[in-house]
Amino acid sequence: MVLAPLGYRMTGIDLTPEMISQAKQLCARHRAAAAEFYVMDAEHLDFPDGYFDAVISRNLTWTLPHPAEAYKEWYRVLKTGGILLNYDAEYAKGFHKYDQAENLAHEKVTDDLVEECHNIYHMLSVSALDRPEWDLQVLDKIGFSEVEADRGAGDRLYAEKDQFYMPDRMFCIRAVK
C-alpha cells in the first residue's frame, strides 16, 4: 500500500491462500491496483532470473525452515543492482526475554495459539542463530554487496505502542545484487 501511490508495480507472495485473499482485499480497500498476488513458497520462487528491481520482506525470514535458500532465491530473481530489504527480528529469542503482556500485537491471540507458535519457533534452525549477524554473513557469501543491518529500524517504525507493537527489536537488512 505504501508503494502503490508512488507508481510502483508490486507482486506479493505468500504460502497460504488466506493471506493472499486478505492482501487482495486490503489492496482493493486502498485502491492499490498495481499489485499481483500469488500463492508461492519464498524458498522456491516461480519467477525468472533478474525479474525484480527490489525484494522486500517483513517478518518472514524467522519463520522459514531454510532461510538461506530464500536468500538465494531472492538474489536470483533480483536484477543486477536490485535491492533486498528484509525487516525481521529474533522473535523466538524475544519470547523468553520479554513480558508477553508488552506484546500488544498478540494481545487477542489465544494462549493455545501462542504456545503452538512458540513450539514451532524452537523447531526452526534460524531461531537459534544470532541475527542479523548470521543474515549478513549468508548474504555476503551468496554474492550480495553493500550488505548492512539497521538494528534500530523497528524503533522508528514502531515508535508508538499501538496494536502492532512488539517488544522484540526489529532490524532491517539492506543488500544490493
Side-chain angles (χ1 to χ4, degrees):
M1 291 347 106
V2 175
L3 298 174
L6 301 173
Y8 291 96
R9 196 182 97 236
M10 297 157 296
T11 302
I13 68 161
D14 196 276
L15 194 56
T16 63
E18 296 83 14
M19 289 299 287
I20 294 299
S21 176
Q22 288 183 21
K24 288 178 180 178
Q25 292 172 21
L26 190 61
C27 276
R29 257 196 328 265
H30 292 278
R31 297 185 188 104
E36 298 175 333
F37 297 97
Y38 301 96
V39 175
M40 197 177 299
D41 181 348
E43 296 178 1
H44 303 97
L45 300 172
D46 293 330
F47 298 106
D49 296 355
Y51 189 74
F52 294 104
D53 295 312
V55 171
I56 302 171
S57 172
R58 185 178 64 85
N59 293 337
L60 173 68
T61 315
W62 71 275
T63 70
L64 297 174
H66 310 101
E69 294 304 312
Y71 279 143
K72 289 176 189 173
E73 276 293 276
W74 301 349
Y75 182 85
R76 182 186 66 77
V77 300
L78 277 171
K79 294 177 182 175
T80 300
I83 296 174
L84 167 66
L85 294 176
N86 182 19
Y87 296 87
D88 211 0
E90 291 186 310
Y91 294 114
K93 289 181 181 179
F95 188 88
H96 299 285
K97 292 180 186 176
Y98 305 109
D99 176 358
Q100 289 305 302
E102 294 179 44
N103 191 339
L104 302 180
H106 291 160
E107 190 172 48
K108 295 179 183 176
V109 176
T110 66
D111 289 342
D112 289 343
L113 185 55
V114 169
E115 185 63 27
E116 181 182 343
C117 290
H118 182 67
N119 291 334
I120 291 170
Y121 300 158
H122 287 289
M123 292 189 302
L124 298 170
S125 62
V126 73
S127 298
L129 302 171
D130 291 323
R131 302 187 63 218
E133 291 76 13
W134 174 85
D135 303 74
L136 299 175
Q137 291 173 0
V138 169
L139 293 168
D140 186 58
K141 185 177 179 182
I142 290 170
F144 280 96
S145 65
E146 300 179 39
V147 180
E148 58 191 23
D150 177 352
R151 290 166 179 81
D155 297 340
R156 292 186 306 280
L157 291 171
Y158 300 108
E160 294 180 32
K161 289 189 177 183
D162 62 10
Q163 73 268 22
F164 302 109
Y165 178 77
M166 297 177 82
D168 307 277
R169 294 199 68 219
M170 179 181 275
F171 52 81
C172 175
I173 296 171
R174 179 185 178 278
V176 177
K177 179 174 181 181

